[in-house]
């Protein structure tokens, strides 16, 4: 069996590959830690976004934050509402707009999700130089902003 040589990567190719692979592995690792909570990645990410919001989110705003289409967030909210974790209420400003709220059970689940996620982050990032973490975060946030601006 022949082995193909490792490709020579440009710095931009190396960065792109590392970004994709690390983000994927990060999500998989957290998902494994949360599997016993009875909610999958899309569920706990939805709950976390609702919990972290300063005010109730519309379904559209939630879809944008999660990077998914509107019908997908509606299906996810249907499941979370059926499980008693989320409730949707009409916006006081526009009754056509539904706002997502966590129930008491949803807040309790989020507390467990946050505890596990915090433990994972600590295990992965403890001992790294805070200046390096801030520089990496600045790079990623700046890149995200450039992507949002479009070509």
């Amino acid at each position: 069996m022949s082995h193909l040589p490792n490709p020579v990567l440009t710095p931009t190719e190396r960065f792109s590959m590392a970004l994709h692979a690390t983000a994927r592995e990060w999500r998989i690792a957290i998902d494994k830690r949360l599997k016993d909570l009875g909610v999958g990645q899309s569920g706990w990410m939805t709950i976390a976004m609702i919990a972290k919001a300063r005010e109730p989110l519309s379904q559209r705003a939630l879809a944008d934050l999660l990077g998914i289409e509107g019908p997908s967030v509606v299906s996810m909210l249907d499941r979370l509402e059926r499980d008693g974790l989320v409730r949707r209420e009409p916006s006081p400003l526009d009754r056509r707009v539904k706002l997502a709220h966590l129930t008491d059970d949803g807040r309790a689940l989020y507390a467990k999700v946050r505890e596990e996620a915090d433990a994972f982050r600590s295990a992965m990032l403890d001992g790294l130089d805070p200046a390096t973490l801030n520089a990496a975060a600045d790079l990623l946030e700046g890149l995200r902003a450039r992507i949002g601006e479009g070509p």
Side-chain angles (χ1 to χ4, degrees):
M1 174 183 202
S2 71
H3 289 79
L4 296 174
N6 288 334
V8 176
L9 300 174
T10 66
T12 57
E13 290 170 327
R14 181 177 170 221
F15 175 81
S16 180
M17 288 178 69
L19 177 64
H20 288 288
T22 303
R24 181 177 183 278
E25 292 298 322
W26 187 277
R27 284 190 307 271
I28 289 169
I30 291 178
D31 205 35
K32 283 181 185 176
R33 288 185 78 125
L34 299 176
K35 70 180 177 179
D36 294 335
L37 298 181
V39 64
Q41 178 181 333
S42 57
W44 60 256
M45 287 182 69
T46 302
I47 288 168
M49 288 297 161
I50 296 168
K52 292 177 183 181
R54 293 179 192 255
E55 56 191 43
L57 296 170
S58 70
Q59 293 177 165
R60 175 78 260 150
L62 188 55
D64 290 345
L65 283 171
L66 293 167
I68 61 176
E69 297 297 318
S72 296
V73 83
V74 169
S75 294
M76 174 52 59
L77 289 171
D78 286 346
R79 286 191 295 278
L80 294 173
E81 196 167 37
R82 182 192 65 229
D83 293 343
L85 302 169
V86 169
R87 74 178 187 286
R88 287 177 277 195
E89 297 178 356
S91 166
L93 303 175
D94 183 346
R95 296 192 58 78
R96 296 170 297 175
V97 175
K98 302 292 185 218
L99 301 177
H101 302 265
L102 291 182
T103 64
D104 289 342
D105 286 347
R107 282 189 288 282
L109 179 62
Y110 175 66
K112 293 175 187 173
V113 166
R114 186 167 177 176
E115 182 179 324
E116 287 296 325
D118 287 350
F120 175 76
R121 261 192 307 277
S122 290
M124 294 297 106
L125 302 176
D126 276 358
L128 295 179
D129 177 39
T132 300
L133 290 174
N134 282 326
D138 289 345
L139 172 66
L140 293 172
E141 290 164 355
L143 181 58
R144 183 176 181 199
R146 287 177 91 177
I147 292 167
E149 293 168 2

